[in-house]
Amino acid sequence: MSFEICELLGIKYPIFQGAMAWIADADLAGAVSEAGGLGIIAGGNAPKDVVKAEIDKIRTLTDKPFAVNIMLLSPFAADIIDLVIEEKVPIITTGAGNPSPYMERFKEAGIKVVPVVPSVALAKRMEKIGADAVIAEGMEAGGHIGKLTSMPLVPQVVDAVNIPVIGAGGVGDGRGMAAMFMLGAKGVQVGTRFLVAKETNIHENYKQKVLKARDIDAVATCQIFGHPVRALKNKLTAEFDKAEKEEMRKEVPDTERFDKLGQGALKAAVDGDIAYGSVMAGQIAGMINKEETVEEIILDLMADTKRVVNERAQIWA
Ligand code: TUI
C-alpha cells in the first residue's frame, strides 16, 4: 500500500494522533511516530520552555518525523511559533484559528504546514497561501469544535482543494477510517482512542471515564457563547449549560464568564478532577472499551480498515 500523505511527510501509516492539549506529550507522540503514524506534540496553552522540553525529549525517543500543534488561541502562540522555527520542527499543525499571518515564516523555515480547518472557506485560503495539506475536523471530535460534522465537511473540503485532506472527528476504528477514505480523505486524525493508550500520561480517572462513556455522553458546550468544546458530561458541562441559559435571557450577556469557567479545566481533568474538570473526548468515546499500546491501536486501525474496505468492496462488486 502506498499513501500520498505518507510520502509527503515521510511516515509509514496515514494516521495522525490528535494534538490533545496537556495530553499529547513527547511520550505519546514519540510512541505514535515510532509505530509509523504521525505523532503530534500539543502546544496547547503551555509556555515555550515546556514545549521545548517535549521537543527535546521526543528527539531522544524517535528519529522518525513528528509534528507540533500550535493552538492559536494560546497566549503563548507567538512564542511557540518562534520555537518551532528555531528548533526546525519538520511538520506543524495548527488549530483553533487562522494561521495565515505566520505562513510565510513557516514556509521560509522549510516546515510542512497542515492546518485544521472547520470549513471550505478556510481550507481554500490555506491552500492558496501554501499549506501542504489540511485536516478537516468535524464536530464529532473532542475539544474545541467547529459547526459541521465530518460526513458533510470532508467531501466538501476534498472537492474544494487540490492538496491532501486528512479527515478528523468521529474516527475510532477501521470502519470510521475506511469511511474517511471513501469521503476522499488521504489520511485520518484520531484523538479519543489514544486517550486510553498505555503511553498516555493522564490520570487514571480520565481514562476510566472514557472507557465507561456511552454514545450520548460526549456533549458540546458553549455553542452559543464562548468557544464550543466537546467533553464528557459531568458537573462542569452542567454548569456551562446553566450559565448559557442564564446569559441567553440577558440583554447584554456576559460572554467572558464562559472562558473563565473553562480556564484550567482541561488540566484539572488530566490531573484527575473528572467532576469539575473538562474531560474532553469525541463522540466515539462510547466505543473505546480497552486500554492498548499505541502500536496495537495503529496496527489494529490499519488491519481493520483493510478488512472493512475489502469486505464492503466484495458486496458491491
Ligand atoms: O483546536 C482544536 N481542538 C482543541 S483546542 C483545545 S484548547 C481550548 N480549550 C478551550 C477553549 C478553546 C481551546 C482543545 N481542543 N481542534 C482544531 C480545531 N480548529 N477545531 C476548530 C478549529 C478552528 C476553528 C476556527 C480552526 C480554525 C478556525 O478559524 C477561524 C477563523 O478565524 O477563520
Side-chain angles (χ1 to χ4, degrees):
M1 279 181 286
S2 123
F3 298 99
E4 181 184 340
I5 193 72
C6 295
E7 273 161 41
L8 178 71
L9 303 179
I11 56 178
K12 188 167 175 194
Y13 301 123
I15 299 171
F16 290 20
Q17 153 252 310
M20 301 164 286
W22 298 119
I23 298 169
D25 59 7
D27 288 333
L28 177 61
V32 170
S33 288
E34 252 323 90
L38 182 68
I40 308 180
I41 293 171
N45 277 312
K48 189 174 177 180
D49 57 329
V50 171
V51 183
K52 177 168 185 328
E54 298 302 319
I55 294 173
D56 291 345
K57 187 169 183 192
I58 201 170
R59 288 187 158 136
T60 70
L61 298 173
T62 185
D63 52 16
K64 298 196 168 75
F66 67 92
V68 171
N69 173 265
I70 300 160
M71 208 281 280
L72 292 164
L73 286 172
S74 164
F76 302 109
D79 291 346
I80 307 302
I81 289 162
D82 291 343
L83 176 69
V84 296
I85 293 169
E86 285 157 22
E87 288 294 320
K88 301 188 171 50
V89 166
I91 305 156
I92 62 138
T93 65
T94 63
N98 180 344
S100 297
Y102 321 107
M103 190 64 96
E104 221 173 279
R105 286 181 66 205
F106 294 140
K107 301 307 303 176
E108 262 169 31
I111 297 174
K112 295 228 158 59
V113 184
V114 188
V116 171
V117 295
S119 66
V120 164
L122 194 61
K124 280 184 166 172
R125 172 100 190 106
M126 294 299 100
E127 177 180 46
K128 199 169 169 198
I129 62 171
D132 295 275
V134 288
I135 302 166
E137 187 184 278
M139 55 93 83
E140 298 93 328
H144 176 48
I145 50 175
K147 290 192 166 66
L148 289 173
T149 53
S150 298
M151 184 88 97
L153 175 66
V154 173
Q156 291 187 76
V157 171
V158 166
D159 286 348
V161 297
N162 290 309
I163 51 179
V165 177
I166 307 303
V171 181
D173 64 10
R175 292 168 298 181
M177 184 162 159
M180 283 297 191
F181 276 85
M182 293 301 140
L183 296 176
K186 295 290 195 304
V188 294
Q189 178 165 277
V190 176
T192 303
R193 190 159 172 191
F194 286 113
L195 277 175
V196 299
K198 294 215 166 101
E199 292 89 340
T200 303
N201 298 315
I202 58 175
H203 197 283
E204 189 57 26
N205 290 351
Y206 199 133
K207 289 192 178 181
Q208 286 305 320
K209 195 158 169 76
V210 174
L211 290 166
K212 287 182 192 143
R214 297 168 301 167
D215 54 351
I216 55 169
D217 288 339
V219 296
T221 55
C222 290
Q223 288 193 293
I224 297 164
F225 303 116
H227 297 103
V229 163
R230 185 177 303 287
L232 296 179
K233 222 187 253 180
N234 63 0
K235 298 240 165 66
L236 180 71
T237 62
E239 287 273 320
F240 268 116
D241 290 348
K242 192 169 136 250
E244 218 160 32
K245 280 188 192 120
E246 281 170 14
E247 295 308 322
M248 244 163 34
R249 284 191 219 104
K250 294 185 187 163
E251 211 157 294
V252 187
D254 171 13
T255 54
E256 279 175 23
R257 182 176 171 189
F258 298 93
D259 287 339
K260 277 187 211 135
L261 201 55
Q263 255 160 30
L266 173 59
K267 181 76 168 67
V270 168
D271 291 341
D273 181 1
I274 53 165
Y276 287 97
S278 183
V279 189
M280 295 184 187
Q283 286 186 329
I284 58 103
M287 60 193 211
I288 305 301
N289 302 314
K290 62 174 185 232
E291 204 175 339
E292 294 170 289
T293 66
V294 158
E295 188 181 29
E296 284 165 347
I297 293 171
I298 289 177
L299 294 182
D300 178 70
L301 279 170
M302 289 303 296
D304 200 31
T305 303
K306 195 173 170 185
R307 180 187 64 76
V308 167
V309 169
N310 288 331
E311 203 179 276
R312 308 295 194 265
Q314 273 174 19
I315 298 168
W316 287 95

